[in-house]
Amino acid sequence: MKGKVLLVGFGPDEVGLLRDSLPVPVFEVPEYCRDWVVGEIVEKAEKLSGSCYWHLMRFLIMHGLDNETLKEVIRSVKSLNLGRVIFATTTETSLTWKLEDLLNELLAEDEYFRAMRWARREARGRKGPFLDLEKG
């Protein structure tokens, strides 16, 4: 197998779209796996049953994909306009973490990078999403 994609937080219709659009197998990670080690989830992905629609955020975790396939997956997902999706690839380290810990780390990283993008926009003189009440 040339790799796989694991999903957390996607609704049933979105899962169907992703399965139809992506060039690799797509598997839902149900809530009962939140305390499992990520490597175990990757190994047992084909045997998992249940919906991945249990988290408020959408996570797409890619495992074993070469760079070209990885880029194709990201392009395909973005073209579906599913809203905010947090993309990740597995690493030697992340495969040893519990899923819940990995998701929390990915959320923290996403918030950090969003804040950095907002700060760069502010530095270039663009207004953020807040009203400027100081000007009268």
Side-chain angles (χ1 to χ4, degrees):
M1 184 180 287
K2 66 177 179 177
K4 59 184 81 169
V5 168
L6 305 173
L7 303 178
V8 173
F10 290 87
D13 293 344
E14 296 168 327
V15 172
L17 281 172
L18 291 166
R19 285 191 170 134
D20 291 343
S21 303
L22 300 184
V24 293
V26 173
F27 301 98
E28 293 185 73
V29 180
E31 186 172 14
Y32 66 81
C33 296
R34 69 188 320 153
D35 291 326
W36 290 19
V37 171
V38 174
E40 187 179 2
I41 295 169
V42 168
E43 286 176 26
K44 297 179 178 177
E46 291 85 356
K47 297 176 184 142
L48 299 176
S49 63
S51 171
C52 70
Y53 196 41
W54 55 270
H55 202 286
L56 293 174
M57 293 300 299
R58 292 181 193 92
F59 299 89
L60 190 141
I61 302 169
M62 298 166 278
H63 175 76
L65 304 186
D66 60 53
N67 281 339
E68 284 308 308
T69 307
L70 196 140
K71 290 177 194 173
E72 185 179 346
V73 166
I74 292 171
R75 270 194 303 270
S76 294
V77 173
K78 287 185 174 187
S79 75
L80 295 173
N81 295 316
L82 299 176
R84 187 170 167 194
V85 175
I86 297 175
F87 294 93
T89 58
T90 56
T91 64
E92 239 179 83
T93 301
S94 71
L95 288 170
T96 67
W97 290 16
K98 286 185 177 181
L99 177 63
E100 185 81 27
D101 295 336
L102 175 62
L103 298 181
N104 287 335
E105 178 67 20
L106 294 172
L107 277 170
E109 288 176 8
D110 184 64
E111 290 301 322
Y112 172 80
F113 287 114
R114 283 177 155 287
M116 293 301 293
R117 283 192 299 269
W118 186 82
R120 280 196 304 271
R121 274 199 316 264
E122 282 291 303
R124 291 192 302 254
R126 294 189 185 142
K127 293 296 175 200
F130 306 105
L131 293 173
D132 184 355
L133 300 176
E134 293 182 18
K135 293 183 180 177

